[in-house]
Amino acid sequence: MNSNVMDQAAARVTTLAAKVCPKAPPGAAQPVQDIQGYVLWGVGILFFLGIIVGIGGVVGGRVFAMPHASKVSMIGIVVVFVAVIGYLVLPGVLTAMMGQGCI
């Protein structure tokens, strides 16, 4: 009997939570957009720096006859490209799985 009451309470909480839509407080939209913009630029700069450092490592490895440095730098460049692809693809995958709007 006690578990039945708990199941009903859990069902009510779930139903209530499904009706609640998160809403930002008034005036919060602009600061949130500013922060998202800064993060977007920061991530883009990090991707660019990763490519530049990788290319520098490949060139340095070739110039100083250090094949391991060149190999590791090539792996670093590939990792940056995989991260860029993930950065572009994963938000769409999450949106498809989670849906939009209220939970």
Side-chain angles (χ1 to χ4, degrees), residues 24-100:
Q30 187 59 41
V32 168
Q33 290 176 355
D34 290 343
I35 292 170
Q36 287 176 339
Y38 292 141
V39 169
L40 178 65
W41 275 99
V43 169
I45 289 169
L46 289 175
F47 286 150
F48 179 73
L49 287 175
I51 294 297
I52 295 300
V53 168
I55 291 171
V58 169
V59 171
R62 297 290 181 192
V63 168
F64 297 112
M66 298 170 56
H68 293 295
S70 294
K71 288 179 187 176
V72 170
S73 296
M74 285 303 296
I75 292 171
I77 292 171
V78 169
V79 167
V80 169
F81 279 118
V82 169
V84 169
I85 291 169
Y87 182 73
L88 296 174
V89 171
L90 288 178
V93 171
L94 289 175
T95 301
M97 287 178 11
M98 303 290 280
Q100 293 193 8

